[in-house]
Amino acid sequence: MLKLIFLIQKIIPAIIRRIRNIISLFWWKLFLKSVGYKTKIYRNVKFVIPNNVSIGNNCLIDTGVNFSSEIETGTLELKNNVKININVFFDYSGGVVVSDNVVISRDTYIVSHSHGYDPLSNPSPKPLIIEESVWIGAKVTICENVKRIGANSLIAAGAVVTKDVEPNTIVGGNPAKFIKKKI
């Protein structure tokens, strides 16, 4: 009997979580430009200007992710097999493309616009392309001057990326610097 009670205590919250996540996915499918097959959008995800967002197949967007744009024409395209973990802030004002098989770890901050030296000025878009098979570690900041993160690169946890990242490299630190070639 005790095992049955313990089992029920574990199963019911998991079922409730699953139902909330399914409802969240269907809710955002009504507003997003497109959502691919087998994509999951968990609860507490926010999209500003959702009709400019396209999400490919088999993507996972975890809880607390915030997609924001200060410009009406800002677009976001997530290709296939993209995983965005908990509490990521993702600004797509400048237009962002995230290619296949990219992992963005928790608490990452990505910006694609600038106000220059005047915080009251109109935002200036800065496009960003994250190429395929990139792994962005936890608590990384990607600044507005970054135009490209090369394929198969790895950005170490806590890095502050201020310039483009070459393909097949590992970068880290503040500001992020080349560490070594990825084999």
Side-chain angles (χ1 to χ4, degrees), residues 105-124:
S105 299
R106 67 179 305 143
D107 301 313
T108 293
Y109 194 85
I110 299 171
V111 180
S112 68
H113 78 278
S114 174
H115 289 276
Y117 294 108
D118 181 7
L120 301 177
S121 68
N122 290 330
S124 171

Side-chain angles (χ1 to χ4, degrees), residues 147-174:
K147 294 180 182 130
R148 177 176 160 256
I149 297 176
N152 302 310
S153 60
L154 188 151
I155 301 173
V160 177
V161 182
T162 58
K163 58 185 180 182
D164 291 1
V165 176
E166 293 298 316
N168 301 306
T169 59
I170 299 173
V171 299
N174 180 5

